[in-house]
Amino acid sequence: MPIRPTDQVLHKAAWLYYTHGMRQDEVAKHLNISRASVAMYLRRARETGIVNIATSTQLFADDVLARQLEDAIGLKSVWIVPEDRHALDPTAEMPVVAAAVFLELIGKGGRVGVAWGRTVYHIADVMPFADLQGVTVVQLCGNLGAPYSYRPDQCTTEIARRLNAEGINFYAPLVLSSERLAHELRQEPVIQEQLATIPDCTLALYSVGGIEADSHLVKCGALTAEEMKALGEAGAAGVIAGQVIDREGQLMDCTHNRRCISADLDSIRSIPKRMMVVQEDEKLEPLVAAIKGGFASHLIITASMARRLLDRLSGTMAPGSGT
Amino acid sequence: MPIRPTDQVLHKAAWLYYTHGMRQDEVAKHLNISRASVAMYLRRARETGIVNIATSTQLFADDVLARQLEDAIGLKSVWIVPEDRHALDPTAEMPVVAAAVFLELIGKGGRVGVAWGRTVYHIADVMPFADLQGVTVVQLCGNLGAPYSYRPDQCTTEIARRLNAEGINFYAPLVLSSERLAHELRQEPVIQEQLATIPDCTLALYSVGGIEADSHLVKCGALTAEEMKALGEAGAAGVIAGQVIDREGQLMDCTHNRRCISADLDSIRSIPKRMMVVQEDEKLEPLVAAIKGGFASHLIITASMARRLLDRLSGTMAPGSGT
DNA sequence: CACGGGCTCTGACAAAAGTCAAATAGTCTT
DNA sequence: AAGACTATTTGACTTTTGTCAGAGCCCGTG
């Protein structure tokens, strides 16, 4: 694409204002335009990510609980979204924190795998605009026409759009009606190639799904409430990228999983930074399973969840090296 | 260090204002402080790098010349600082561009090697403040008590300070009076260990020195004007991290180099991102040598230098694949 | 326990930035 | 080549932000 002159002005205005600290009227004089235009350009520069204003997420990582959790379960980093009285609504805040952390974790030229779910969609929705050329956003799981329109491809596309990154969608359904068909589809070169690129990701973004009757997979029609109930009785504990895992975080041996087209769990585990974001208080058990399964290296949760998680894990895992 | 409550307020104010887009009076209400305090906190948040405002350096990379150079000599990226009439002073602008590019190129947890010279010092001087925890800044060459006070350790320290990164200084002189002593000092565990970490750097920042009578090495007393002249006649073309290189960018076989304590040229070459910044118009020949020697993967130069470089190189190197 | 010294905080004012309706330029269509 | 439509630009206005001198507060010290 050739260089559009409009973009040049946008860049110049942003550079002079933000990097040089000129006032808007100085920029206007410099570029021979009106100050109002400068203000407009600057807004667009912010909106398109030419200018990136990032606030350190340190605030959320600087929490005693966060440190304890890091020590207790050996995670790289934990961010705690506070729930105290005059804090903001933690449920609304979490995606914002997650988006900021996400931006901090992507490096130039990185490859990011994005899964699907309500949480991920909300994160996409508040993702700031940035100019991350060279970044690729790939979809971690197949598609599912959801009634709530949180389609997997939408999550990927939206994030890629906001980051000025390349988005690679996955043109396969998440669940097929037969194991045979799923197997055959996975053999297709297009699909196979895409699945093969997933271990190259440097960062993964997902949540863990629950296995209740009102869980996402059930609501979207991938499983009936009965099937889900049966899976629960058979030892299921959560859902990762559309696939059901047991209490130890291992892939369940079940029809549903065999009918799924999604990133292989081992591929996901091999991604260096695995960002797990959990909003719902009910997801303690799924989260424990996901952590045991090695699906989280970076965790973003509420303070109450952090406390419960710490209680829950301090018994079953090594007590860690912290004081 | 424990968490200081003041910092918490700083972080909170910055978060609410910049990430949530609250107005200052809303932030003030939220935190139960006066609006003026909020304004003050926000300034401090910007100054300390809690908030990072970065402008894309795309503007300087989006240049036809830059593309041509990238094609012609196979560099990863070239940034051109324009010199047209109503642009800013290119000499003053270059360090600013370099600092912005530098910030774009460092990844979280990266290790950065910083060499020494007037240019590097100026870059340090305009480096924005940022909160890059986990980054380490290492000194690439030994120290030299310069009359102009651009000491190598100052460059490293200043950059580390501004980035909230760890700075590792190199406690050895750049040049010793005898080859024997230099050799012995290089064997010292402390020195050896530090030199050994240089290939682990992900990013290097330096310029190339000239070999004139008024070059930096001469001014700082590392070499006399006569010695430098002799080196020039023997085929010297430039200086990299205190060491003299020939026209092909290879280490000169000379006493001075053997008396130097500095990063091994091969170590430098093995750093993935090698950011070379050249301000002075007279440094065409040193730059050509540095490029031939593989010391630049990312180049920041003026438009006129770019043109001359392109002319100079199109004859001696493969014409490249560009149109 | 009174006394600095160094902070932070406050209220009011000045400066800068955001916004909007109307005018203008540019572009594509017929 | 005129017309219709969209996107940009502008000047005037409002809102928001930066700043500063003085008040208040905390903490260690004599």
Side-chain angles (χ1 to χ4, degrees), chain B residues 276-289:
Chain B
M276 171 150 292
V277 187
V278 180
Q279 293 187 286
E280 300 88 346
D281 273 345
E282 305 78 48
K283 284 194 181 166
L284 179 60
E285 290 311 319
L287 177 56
V288 170

Side-chain angles (χ1 to χ4, degrees), chain B residues 17 23-24 35-36 43:
Chain B
Y17 185 77
R23 270 182 278 108
Q24 294 189 355
R35 215 204 84 259
R43 176 153 38 79

Side-chain angles (χ1 to χ4, degrees), chain A residues 130-167:
Chain A
D131 191 24
L132 270 63
Q133 279 150 342
V135 167
T136 308
V137 182
V138 302
Q139 194 176 325
L140 282 182
C141 61
N143 283 302
L144 194 51
Y148 308 95
S149 87
Y150 301 147
R151 289 203 328 265
D153 57 330
Q154 286 179 316
C155 295
T156 312
T157 307
E158 183 61 15
I159 291 176
R161 186 178 75 84
R162 301 222 183 182
L163 303 182
N164 256 311
E166 193 193 0

Side-chain angles (χ1 to χ4, degrees), chain A residues 36-56:
Chain A
S37 298
V38 174
M40 194 262 285
Y41 284 144
L42 292 179
R43 178 155 33 83
R44 288 178 61 229
R46 285 189 301 263
E47 281 168 0
T48 54
I50 288 172
V51 170
N52 195 270
I53 303 185
T55 312
S56 160

Side-chain angles (χ1 to χ4, degrees), chain A residues 52 54-57 61 76-79 97-113 127 132 135 163 201-206 271-277 296-300, chain B residues 106-110 133:
Chain A
N52 195 270
T55 312
S56 160
T57 58
K76 288 232 185 84
S77 304
V78 175
W79 286 261
V97 177
V101 170
F102 181 79
L103 265 183
E104 276 190 17
L105 292 179
I106 327 177
K108 278 247 151 178
R111 191 181 187 85
V112 185
M127 185 67 67
L132 270 63
V135 167
L163 303 182
C201 286
T202 50
L203 176 62
L205 171 68
Y206 45 44
I271 297 172
K273 296 175 190 164
R274 301 172 302 285
M275 229 185 105
M276 172 151 293
V277 187
S297 65
H298 300 256
L299 185 62
I300 298 165
Chain B
I106 326 176
K108 279 247 151 177
Q133 278 149 343

